[in-house]
Coordinates of all heavy atoms in Angstrom, one line a residue:
D272 N -2.8 4.8 21.5 CA -2.7 5.0 22.9 C -3.5 4.0 23.7 O -4.7 4.2 23.9 CB -3.1 6.5 23.3 CG -2.8 6.8 24.8 OD1 -2.2 5.9 25.4 OD2 -3.3 7.8 25.2
K279 N -5.9 1.7 29.6 CA -7.2 2.3 29.5 C -8.3 1.2 29.5 O -8.0 0.1 29.1 CB -7.4 3.1 28.1 CG -6.6 4.3 28.0 CD -6.8 5.0 26.7 CE -6.0 6.2 26.5 NZ -6.4 7.3 27.4
D349 N -0.3 6.6 31.1 CA -1.3 7.1 30.2 C -1.2 8.6 29.9 O -1.8 9.2 29.0 CB -2.7 6.8 30.7 CG -3.7 6.8 29.6 OD1 -3.4 6.9 28.4 OD2 -4.9 6.8 29.9
E351 N 1.1 10.1 28.5 CA 2.3 10.0 27.6 C 2.5 11.1 26.6 O 3.7 11.3 26.2 CB 2.2 8.6 26.9 CG 1.4 8.7 25.5 CD -0.1 9.0 25.7 OE1 -0.6 8.9 26.8 OE2 -0.7 9.4 24.7
Ligands
MN2 MN1 -2.8 8.5 27.2

Side-chain angles (χ1 to χ4, degrees):
D272 183 12
K279 289 178 180 296
D349 198 12
E351 84 296 343

